[in-house]
Each structure stands twice: as structure tokens, then as C-alpha cells.
Amino acid sequence: MNKITTIIGLSFAVFFLIGLATTLTRSMMIGFIDVIPVYLLMGAAIAMMIYEAFFDKS
């Protein structure tokens, strides 16, 4: 049960962050080059969440 709730919560957070990052690319005034740092930060945040949820057992 703990793994299921972890996966559900993690998926909600990941979908939110991906949606937030893709919303920026829909704007006409913001180009793809401007959004690359956002994608990098979102990728790092998602990777840290996955690591903390599943691999960090200290």
C-alpha cells in the first residue's frame, strides 16, 4: 500500500511539473531556447523526487 501511494503521488507531481513546463512553450513570445533551462530544472526535480521516493533508504 505504501508503494502504491508513493507512485500515485509521484505521478501527480511529475504530471504537474511536465504540464507547467509545456505551458511555457505554448506562448508565442517565448521560444524553445528560452525554455531549455526550465526543462533542465524540471528534469532535475523529477529525478530527485524519484531518487528520494525509491532509492534513498537512510
Side-chain angles (χ1 to χ4, degrees), residues 28-56:
M28 292 297 199
M29 298 173 68
I30 300 174
F32 181 73
I33 302 288
D34 300 326
V35 185
I36 289 175
V38 175
Y39 283 136
L40 292 174
L41 287 174
M42 293 299 174
I46 290 170
M48 286 188 288
M49 283 192 306
I50 291 172
Y51 176 76
E52 184 180 358
F54 294 113
F55 302 116
D56 188 26

Side-chain angles (χ1 to χ4, degrees), residues 6-49:
T6 302
I7 290 171
I8 291 172
L10 193 62
S11 65
F12 280 143
V14 167
F15 288 146
F16 174 75
L17 290 175
I18 290 173
L20 193 67
T22 55
T23 302
L24 291 173
T25 60
R26 304 271 183 212
S27 175
M28 292 297 199
M29 298 173 68
I30 300 174
F32 181 73
I33 302 288
D34 300 326
V35 185
I36 289 175
V38 175
Y39 283 136
L40 292 174
L41 287 174
M42 293 299 174
I46 290 170
M48 286 188 288
M49 283 192 306

